[in-house]
Amino acid sequence: MIAKVIVDVPSRQTDRPFDYEVPPAMQDWIEVGSRVGVPFGGRVLQGFVIGFAETAGIDAARIKPLSELLDPVPPLLPDLIELAEWISDKYCCSWIAALQAMIPAALKGKAQRLISLNPDEAEEGDGLTSLLPVELADWLAKQGQAKLETVQERFPQHAAAVKMALREGVLLEQASIRDRLAVRKVLTVFPPHDRAAAEEALAAFPVRAAKQRELLAFMLERGEPMPLAVMLAEAGGSPASVRSLVDKGLLGLREVEQQRDPYAGREFRHTEPLPLMEGQQAVYERIAASVSRGEPQALLLHGVTGSGKTEVYLQSIQHCLELGKQAIVLVPEISLTPQMVERFKGRFGDAVAVLHSRLSNGERYDEWRKIRSRRVQVAIGARSAIFAPFERIGLIIIDEEHESSYKQEESPKYHARDVAVKRARQHGAAVVLGSATPSLESFAAASRPPAPGRESGLLPMPNRVGDRPMPPVDVIDMRAELLEGNRSMFSRRLHAALAERLERGEQSVLLLNRRGYSTFVMCRSCGYTAACTHCDISLTYHQKTRALRCHYCGHAELAPKNCPSCESEHIRYFGTGTQKVEEELAKLFPGIRVIRMDVDTTTEKNAHEKLLKQFGDREADVLLGTQMVAKGLDFPFVTLVGVIAADTSLNLPDFRAAERTFQLLTQVAGRAGRHHLPGEVVVQTYTPEHYAILTAQHHDYAAFIREELKHRGVMGYPPFCRLVLVTMSHEQLAQLSSVSEQFASRLRELAAAEGVLDSLDSGSKRALEVLGPVSSPISRMKDRYRFQVVIKYRGNIDVPALLRKATAPFLEGPAQKQVLFSIDVDPQVIL
Ligand SMILES: Nc1ncnc2c1ncn2[C@@H]1O[C@H](COP(=O)(O)OP(=O)(O)OP(=O)(O)O)[C@@H](O)[C@H]1O
Ligand SMILES: [Zn+2]
Ligand SMILES: [Zn+2]
């Protein structure tokens, strides 16, 4: 039997299955999806079995056997193996990158070398003594096997001897894959099997073994297993006395697996389904019907903020579970707040696994295993939870589907929304995309006329729960404020509104719209900004260490006291601004209680959670923050939302700038007046006439879409076409420039040969344009220059195939000479 294995080597040449023989002993265990160790180029590497064959594709004599099978139950399922191939094809990444993205970090095995004495040599004896120092030989004999690293650490003086012994075969070397993290095991004491016998023994114990006697009596009384450490702490005594009781067969002692549960000890109040509102009911029925049919279908739930989307999700999942199927819920990392977790745990209790990046690798691994071993039926998590190893998925929900964080920025550069649709096709599952501000792409797709006999995939919920009104939005022109002599960062309107809230004991949310780099250093005399010497990007200031750090390459230096360019002392650190707002608030409203939420205050684990809890418990008057405060929060006493500057995100060089601004304003405005108290919103801006701001003011998604679609159409951007960004990098500018020119013209030739090279304005159904090469917006990173080519296309064109052909000639030759190609299909940002 031959196994086809994708091996963990990140190179284009090896991005294909390799054949290995399956040793007879493994044959009953191995499956598609198994993780194996394989000999590869003199080492043992990790790989994944993607299929089997009767005979090998190459000369049978050259086939090597698999070295080891790493898990009794394969971590991946056949549908995920198929999905990995699809991802590698669609997003132009290696298979191994796609496969690695699907398993928890704990399973990303690490090769290790084990050293042991050669038993044949040991018998003869003389080989050992002549070659190996006695202390090392004795130690190894006792250990049986030891890691090479440990030997090196313990016996640094014997390096030469070890090497010689290995060469002479006195020592044996074995490579093996070790998981980065194992299941956590706890040494546990078990009470006597045979109670009667134990009681008899207890009576007969000799006096001098008083401690053993005491421990046995203690365990007899307890009658249930307990961790050794706990037992010793409670009953006193030593491990030795436990050990003798175990040797006498009176107690048991075994390692027991312990689950790392990030939510251990937390009570989630159980909730019952709420009677649905009319709008919710209609949408719920459509989703439930789709789940019942068991055919793949994508639905867009367009529900305004506060329309009760979460309750619809919960009841749809309930329906899915009743059919014996499983559900995946994706939420943006940033809104995976305790509130969200609570809602799901409260309804489904232990049937829920939670996967997010703030978990430790161990906690993540254990949550993942709950899914794999069918102990839970619902997985909720950020982007990568789309790979939850469920076997019968009935429903996939993507909340806040417009969020750009669903696209992974590093390889594999997949979009969780598209992967969800593919996975739903494999399982016959329904995909529900939910948002108050759907992305243009999703909205355009759902608005297409449905196939005959099919219903539209667009599910609207235009009203808030209980028909609460949307909060009125006041747009304040900050230019006018300045003209009238108000130089403060607060308009008179926002100032008055805040004062009112303080008086009434209600709460406010303040958003400082700021994207990108939190803090940078600028000289106010000459305009010098501190930039990384390896990358073409400003350095970020870290207050704690007083260091300037590069976001891309990690380069760090001490912050200068004088300007390196003009020696002026007027060199300043420009913060996120939240700190400044906080100071200003304290000045204007003495005694005001502010919770600041930004990158600086949320670095610690659970900080986010703690701050929100404080705010929810009304320990503060104002929640002030960046984008983090805009999403998903549902606090009944928030009646005012203020946006300090709406324009920042509008001015970014990004074709989605208007869309992002509209989404952000709509989302944050939606935090106000969600319960009985009415809310209001104040938006400060320098461009009050911009359609993104005007339409957000009137909660008018349809008007925004109309306007934005016009712009996209004129400029030739998605959803009217699709984009692929190819970034090339090299240390030498000349080399890069010439290769990128060659690449672009080769790409044009290939497209022309396919008959698709055409202007997008041409009106033809299939058209592809190649723009560039030009220098990337970040023109240098980690000492490598960067050029980019943007491909715009429309219609059914196999662009990944074109790209594979176009890049092929540049991937040969020695690696250091090669220009690196990085391909981003459907990029979120063009940087
Ligand atoms: N059928 C219902 N009856 C009573 N209250 C409900 C019902 N459905 C939802 N709610 C309540 O309405 C509030 C808003 O619901 P939810 O947070 O789900 O809105 P949402 O649509 O997700 O909004 P956003 O997009 O702003 O997050 C919540 O407090 C929720 O408990
Ligand atoms: Zn200067
Ligand atoms: Zn750098």
mmCIF file of all heavy atoms in Angstrom, residues 144-145 209 235 244 261 293 335 389 424 474 504 752 770:
data_model
loop_
_atom_site.group_PDB
_atom_site.id
_atom_site.type_symbol
_atom_site.label_atom_id
_atom_site.label_comp_id
_atom_site.label_asym_id
_atom_site.label_seq_id
_atom_site.Cartn_x
_atom_site.Cartn_y
_atom_site.Cartn_z
ATOM 1 N N GLY A 144 17.645 5.151 28.829
ATOM 2 C CA GLY A 144 17.099 4.405 27.696
ATOM 3 C C GLY A 144 17.268 5.222 26.430
ATOM 4 O O GLY A 144 18.032 4.896 25.541
ATOM 5 N N GLN A 145 16.540 6.350 26.376
ATOM 6 C CA GLN A 145 16.610 7.219 25.203
ATOM 7 C C GLN A 145 16.693 8.654 25.692
ATOM 8 O O GLN A 145 16.078 8.989 26.691
ATOM 9 C CB GLN A 145 15.321 7.088 24.388
ATOM 10 C CG GLN A 145 15.543 6.495 23.037
ATOM 11 C CD GLN A 145 14.234 6.423 22.252
ATOM 12 O OE1 GLN A 145 13.157 6.752 22.731
ATOM 13 N NE2 GLN A 145 14.350 5.988 21.016
ATOM 14 N N ALA A 209 4.498 2.639 60.296
ATOM 15 C CA ALA A 209 4.034 3.178 59.009
ATOM 16 C C ALA A 209 2.813 4.060 59.218
ATOM 17 O O ALA A 209 1.820 3.963 58.505
ATOM 18 C CB ALA A 209 3.741 2.054 58.026
ATOM 19 N N ALA A 235 -3.720 16.023 52.863
ATOM 20 C CA ALA A 235 -3.523 14.988 53.871
ATOM 21 C C ALA A 235 -2.105 14.987 54.425
ATOM 22 O O ALA A 235 -1.818 14.287 55.394
ATOM 23 C CB ALA A 235 -3.853 13.623 53.272
ATOM 24 N N SER A 244 4.550 3.581 48.229
ATOM 25 C CA SER A 244 4.545 2.257 48.858
ATOM 26 C C SER A 244 3.134 1.695 48.956
ATOM 27 O O SER A 244 2.942 0.491 48.812
ATOM 28 C CB SER A 244 5.201 2.242 50.237
ATOM 29 O OG SER A 244 5.581 3.503 50.657
ATOM 30 N N ASP A 261 -9.662 24.293 30.335
ATOM 31 C CA ASP A 261 -10.903 24.955 29.933
ATOM 32 C C ASP A 261 -10.808 26.437 30.254
ATOM 33 O O ASP A 261 -10.803 26.825 31.418
ATOM 34 C CB ASP A 261 -12.091 24.324 30.665
ATOM 35 C CG ASP A 261 -13.406 24.954 30.230
ATOM 36 O OD1 ASP A 261 -13.375 25.936 29.449
ATOM 37 O OD2 ASP A 261 -14.452 24.486 30.677
ATOM 38 N N ARG A 293 -33.457 21.290 4.320
ATOM 39 C CA ARG A 293 -33.298 20.735 2.975
ATOM 40 C C ARG A 293 -31.947 20.055 2.800
ATOM 41 O O ARG A 293 -31.814 19.115 2.033
ATOM 42 C CB ARG A 293 -33.419 21.850 1.921
ATOM 43 C CG ARG A 293 -34.828 22.073 1.418
ATOM 44 C CD ARG A 293 -34.832 22.824 0.090
ATOM 45 N NE ARG A 293 -34.118 24.091 0.166
ATOM 46 C CZ ARG A 293 -34.639 25.224 0.634
ATOM 47 N NH1 ARG A 293 -35.889 25.246 1.082
ATOM 48 N NH2 ARG A 293 -33.931 26.325 0.664
ATOM 49 N N SER A 335 -14.736 41.260 18.024
ATOM 50 C CA SER A 335 -16.036 41.246 18.704
ATOM 51 C C SER A 335 -16.304 39.910 19.368
ATOM 52 O O SER A 335 -17.412 39.618 19.789
ATOM 53 C CB SER A 335 -17.159 41.594 17.725
ATOM 54 O OG SER A 335 -17.217 40.642 16.714
ATOM 55 N N PRO A 389 -13.108 20.731 12.722
ATOM 56 C CA PRO A 389 -13.241 19.394 12.137
ATOM 57 C C PRO A 389 -14.549 18.694 12.492
ATOM 58 O O PRO A 389 -14.534 17.618 13.075
ATOM 59 C CB PRO A 389 -12.027 18.651 12.698
ATOM 60 C CG PRO A 389 -11.721 19.335 13.983
ATOM 61 C CD PRO A 389 -12.131 20.772 13.823
ATOM 62 N N ALA A 424 -19.623 24.603 2.802
ATOM 63 C CA ALA A 424 -21.065 24.361 2.814
ATOM 64 C C ALA A 424 -21.449 23.490 1.624
ATOM 65 O O ALA A 424 -22.325 22.628 1.726
ATOM 66 C CB ALA A 424 -21.810 25.687 2.776
ATOM 67 N N ASP A 474 -26.539 63.482 14.514
ATOM 68 C CA ASP A 474 -26.208 64.877 14.252
ATOM 69 C C ASP A 474 -24.827 64.929 13.626
ATOM 70 O O ASP A 474 -23.883 64.396 14.189
ATOM 71 C CB ASP A 474 -26.117 65.615 15.598
ATOM 72 C CG ASP A 474 -27.182 66.662 15.719
ATOM 73 O OD1 ASP A 474 -27.711 67.085 14.666
ATOM 74 O OD2 ASP A 474 -27.483 67.047 16.861
ATOM 75 N N ARG A 504 -27.622 62.851 33.960
ATOM 76 C CA ARG A 504 -28.670 61.834 34.063
ATOM 77 C C ARG A 504 -28.151 60.475 34.497
ATOM 78 O O ARG A 504 -28.904 59.534 34.635
ATOM 79 C CB ARG A 504 -29.354 61.681 32.698
ATOM 80 C CG ARG A 504 -30.120 62.924 32.258
ATOM 81 C CD ARG A 504 -31.299 62.566 31.371
ATOM 82 N NE ARG A 504 -30.901 61.925 30.126
ATOM 83 C CZ ARG A 504 -30.952 62.537 28.935
ATOM 84 N NH1 ARG A 504 -31.387 63.784 28.850
ATOM 85 N NH2 ARG A 504 -30.601 61.905 27.858
ATOM 86 N N ALA A 752 -3.117 37.279 -23.474
ATOM 87 C CA ALA A 752 -3.469 37.538 -24.875
ATOM 88 C C ALA A 752 -3.676 36.223 -25.622
ATOM 89 O O ALA A 752 -4.618 36.064 -26.404
ATOM 90 C CB ALA A 752 -2.386 38.374 -25.548
ATOM 91 N N VAL A 770 -3.634 44.060 -16.885
ATOM 92 C CA VAL A 770 -2.464 43.965 -16.019
ATOM 93 C C VAL A 770 -1.948 45.381 -15.781
ATOM 94 O O VAL A 770 -1.574 46.068 -16.728
ATOM 95 C CB VAL A 770 -1.365 43.109 -16.670
ATOM 96 C CG1 VAL A 770 -0.142 43.037 -15.763
ATOM 97 C CG2 VAL A 770 -1.890 41.715 -16.978
#
